[in-house]
Amino acid sequence: MEIEVSALGAIIGLIISIVMILKKIPPVYGLMTGALIGGLIGGTNIVDTVSLMVSGAQGIIPSVLRILAAGVLAGILIESGAAAKIAQSIVAKFGEKRALLALALATMFLTAVGVFVDVAVITVAPIALVIASNAGISRMAILLAMVGGGKAGNVMSPNPNTIAVSDAFDVPLISVMGAGVVPAIFGIITTYIIAKKIASRGTMIEEKEIEQSEEYTLPSLFTSLLGPIVAIILLALRPLFDISIDPIIALPVGGLIGIIAMGQWRKTNDYIKTGLEKMAPVAILLIGTGTLAGIIQNSRIDTVLISALEGLGLPAFSLAPVSGIFMSGATASTTAGATVASSVFASTLLEMGVAALGGAAMIHAGSTVIDHMPHGSFFHATAGSVGMQVKERLKLIPYETLVGLTIAIVSTIIYGIIPLFF
């Protein structure tokens, strides 16, 4: 007999998780506690509730393994200086006249090749502070440029969120990455327009805030890019030639080829340890999201949400972006939001006739809209990267949301509205 949790229980469980995360309880424990209480309130006994939680966590394990493998590429890019070299090269190419565009593109590119969005912002931030000080650009403007670039890069990256969505819909990772390219372009345009308009708003950067970093030799641009290029080529073999190279192989191989090309292979172990340290908290978080997803999957929450959307006159496919927005806002995480939304609603969307790639793309794009809320680490990490106070950081939220909303709207038009007419 199939175990079923009431929609009310699932919603209460989600609310409890959000409250616990807001109270600074480790998100994984907040999600697990919410799942447990939600299951019990939803009408199941403790044995069945735990069974659903374990089943949900088991469903996340393939994504967790691929995410841990991605740590090899990410660690090498960050520790070898490849990420810094790529960022410096992009900013140098555009110069101070187009500084905000350069910062947005630099962060976008770093995120797109596999660097975590918060790490990408932290990597570009020292360059951004120097530019802002010299050009008289506000702290808000440079941070928006970097955050917006990060959001754009995130929807076309081999990052954990993309891996989780591609696994849930069983579509190639490279296809989901490709589906984010056009929405990302519109995201960058929106970022640049808004950043220019707020270039004089908020506090300015003082010279004393700029740290003089020690000079060290960075790898060449070619060797810095080689690892990500190899990884992307390997991932592209599946849709191009029907040769399936799983991300669990493609991403580490790209990283290892990159570090050999940079002549730093002796430091491989140190670099992949850093990558593992970056990925481990995400992997643990996803296990927590899996327990909550197990409860929500076995509830009627999808029916309730679909009815609500129909009541508002919205088409069925809008479940994809809306669920991504809702879940990422609840968890203040693109990865957690995309994971829960895709694992819970993938089967429903497919049954409604939404194409697998379209559903994946729309959920993924929706997960960028309000993933920057104050109860998440991204909000605080990005504020710290440019020395911004919480009060000023809060003022940036509407602008960030507009960038994410642009990405989600464009994705929904391409993969939800246009297919209705063709």
Side-chain angles (χ1 to χ4, degrees):
M1 182 178 175
E2 187 177 341
I3 306 167
E4 187 173 300
V5 180
S6 71
L8 178 62
I11 292 169
I12 290 174
L14 182 59
I15 292 171
I16 288 170
S17 296
I18 295 169
V19 171
M20 293 183 75
I21 293 170
L22 284 169
K23 294 292 184 181
K24 305 301 181 184
I25 292 169
V28 64
Y29 290 133
L31 292 162
M32 290 173 66
T33 303
L36 180 62
I37 296 174
L40 295 174
I41 293 175
T44 61
N45 59 47
I46 192 163
V47 174
D48 288 342
T49 297
V50 171
S51 177
L52 292 178
M53 291 170 64
V54 171
S55 176
Q58 286 174 338
I60 295 295
I61 295 303
S63 297
V64 170
L65 292 175
R66 293 181 175 96
I67 287 163
L68 292 176
V72 176
L73 176 61
I76 288 170
L77 285 172
I78 296 163
E79 291 298 302
S80 66
K85 179 63 179 182
I86 293 168
Q88 285 185 9
S89 299
I90 293 172
V91 172
K93 183 71 175 176
F94 282 83
E96 285 190 5
K97 286 187 177 180
R98 295 185 179 86
L100 291 170
L101 179 60
L103 294 175
L105 290 173
T107 317
M108 180 195 76
F109 198 87
L110 289 185
T111 312
V113 298
V115 178
F116 270 17
V117 62
D118 54 348
V119 176
V121 172
I122 291 168
T123 301
V124 178
I127 305 170
L129 290 172
V130 174
I131 291 174
S133 177
N134 293 339
I137 300 172
S138 72
R139 206 181 307 266
M140 286 180 65
I142 59 169
L143 184 53
L144 177 64
M146 293 187 290
V147 169
K151 285 179 182 288
N154 220 8
V155 292
M156 53 178 181
S157 72
N159 275 337
N161 34 284
T162 322
I163 292 171
V165 171
S166 67
D167 282 348
F169 281 90
D170 194 25
V171 291
L173 175 60
I174 192 71
S175 298
V176 181
M177 292 165 62
V181 172
V182 175
I185 292 171
F186 280 87
I188 283 290
I189 293 170
T190 303
T191 298
Y192 183 51
I193 291 171
I194 299 174
K196 283 193 72 175
K197 288 188 177 296
I198 64 170
S200 58
R201 295 184 192 176
T203 59
M204 295 294 176
I205 308 297
E206 299 178 13
E207 282 189 31
K208 63 182 180 181
E209 296 180 60
I210 301 171
E211 296 181 6
Q212 296 298 320
S213 60
E214 294 181 14
E215 292 292 326
Y216 64 99
T217 304
L218 294 175
S220 69
L221 181 59
F222 172 75
T223 57
S224 297
L225 290 169
L226 188 60
I229 289 172
V230 169
I232 290 170
I233 289 172
L234 291 175
L235 292 172
L237 292 177
R238 179 176 171 183
L240 292 177
F241 304 106
D242 201 26
I243 300 172
S244 183
I245 307 293
D246 196 276
I248 206 170
I249 296 171
L251 299 177
V253 167
L256 293 173
I257 289 176
I259 199 170
I260 291 170
M262 289 183 282
Q264 299 186 41
W265 59 270
R266 291 183 180 84
K267 299 178 181 178
T268 301
N269 197 40
D270 293 333
Y271 292 176
I272 63 176
K273 283 181 180 178
T274 297
L276 180 60
E277 288 171 2
K278 299 290 183 187
M279 294 297 179
V282 179
I284 293 170
L285 172 66
L286 286 192
I287 293 172
T289 66
T291 63
L292 182 60
I295 298 298
I296 297 174
Q297 279 173 334
N298 290 276
S299 72
R300 293 283 184 177
I301 196 170
D302 56 343
T303 306
V304 172
L305 192 51
I306 291 168
S307 298
L309 293 174
E310 288 176 346
L312 293 170
L314 297 174
F317 65 76
S318 61
L319 174 65
V322 168
S323 64
I325 293 169
F326 181 65
M327 293 300 177
S328 65
T331 57
S333 165
T334 315
T335 301
T339 302
V340 175
S342 58
S343 61
V344 170
F345 298 107
S347 58
T348 303
L349 287 163
L350 293 173
E351 287 170 8
M352 292 190 300
V354 177
L357 180 58
M362 289 187 285
I363 283 180
H364 198 202
S367 298
T368 68
V369 177
I370 49 173
D371 57 344
H372 45 263
M373 300 306 284
H375 56 285
S377 60
F378 179 75
F379 175 92
H380 301 282
T382 52
S385 71
V386 294
M388 183 179 284
Q389 298 299 312
V390 172
K391 187 177 180 181
E392 187 174 12
R393 181 68 182 84
L394 287 168
K395 294 178 181 178
L396 205 62
I397 288 178
Y399 304 118
E400 298 170 275
T401 303
L402 188 55
V403 173
L405 196 59
T406 299
I407 293 171
I409 289 171
V410 173
S411 183
T412 303
I413 291 171
I414 296 172
Y415 298 104
I417 295 175
I418 292 178
L420 294 178
F421 300 97
F422 296 96

